[in-house]
Amino acid sequence: SRPWLRSGAAYFLLLALLRQRGALVHTAAPLYFSAVRGMLFALGWADATASSTAAASSASAATSAAAPPALEGRAPAREPMGLDCARHARRLLEETAAHKRSLVRYGAYALSDVVALLRYRPLGAAAQAELMPGVYSLIGMCTQVELQELHANSDPVGKRILADLLEGYQTSHKYRG
């Protein structure tokens, strides 16, 4: 019922496969990218749940004046699950982009999954900031022709999201040596 709880295990498995058995991932690229797509959508669910939980806890904190004595001195809470999922997805996208030579044909498909995620499950500011370096690595993996095809096949909202991603890539990530 909560797929993001297993995203850590899936992330470590996919990352280990990509790093240690790259040739195997290259031959099973569609299956690999299907798993990456699942992780991206788990990120969307985890961040939405974390946002709604944070809103509920801030509303309850506003109604109570002080924390109960039993909670004082407790260790700070862990980072929100959405931020963990975003960090895992970023690292996985960056590692995927490192295999550009073998996986270049699939980069545009992964980028379209990112555009769909940002369209249908907008992320919070912290999760989106955490994910963007991985998305920019994915953009760097795509050829100009693939980016044009993705733009041509997107609806107006998808085109705007893609244009924003490309603008962010041009201003903050692209090497201009």
Side-chain angles (χ1 to χ4, degrees):
S1 68
R2 292 185 256 171
W4 61 88
L5 293 178
R6 293 181 294 279
S7 74
Y11 156 73
F12 287 114
L13 175 65
L14 291 172
L15 192 63
L17 280 172
L18 196 58
R19 287 182 177 167
Q20 298 172 8
R21 301 281 190 242
L24 179 67
V25 172
H26 301 162
T27 60
L31 183 61
Y32 171 78
F33 280 101
S34 178
V36 170
R37 178 182 304 119
M39 283 199 61
L40 287 171
F41 286 108
L43 164 62
W45 284 103
D47 193 60
T49 303
S51 298
S52 64
T53 303
S57 66
S58 66
S60 67
T63 58
S64 65
L71 296 179
E72 290 177 2
R74 262 178 110 180
R78 285 184 41 140
E79 290 182 337
M81 185 61 75
L83 202 53
D84 264 353
C85 287
R87 187 170 297 119
H88 293 329
R90 173 186 52 87
R91 289 178 183 155
L92 198 57
L93 293 176
E94 288 173 343
E95 189 68 29
T96 300
H99 292 258
K100 177 180 180 174
R101 180 172 292 169
S102 301
L103 300 175
V104 68
R105 294 183 182 171
Y106 300 95
Y109 296 112
L111 188 58
S112 72
D113 291 335
V114 170
V115 170
L117 168 70
L118 296 176
R119 178 177 183 197
Y120 295 110
R121 286 265 176 211
L123 302 176
Q128 189 163 347
E130 185 68 43
L131 182 65
M132 282 304 112
V135 174
Y136 295 152
S137 296
L138 204 58
I139 290 172
M141 179 180 169
C142 295
T143 65
Q144 200 61 29
V145 172
E146 290 171 325
L147 292 173
Q148 290 171 355
E149 287 176 356
L150 182 58
H151 185 269
N153 290 323
S154 297
D155 63 344
V157 176
K159 287 179 181 180
R160 183 181 50 79
I161 292 170
L162 183 60
D164 290 345
L165 291 175
L166 291 172
E167 181 182 335
Y169 171 75
Q170 294 290 335
T171 59
S172 67
H173 191 76
K174 187 174 181 180
Y175 178 70
R176 296 191 208 293

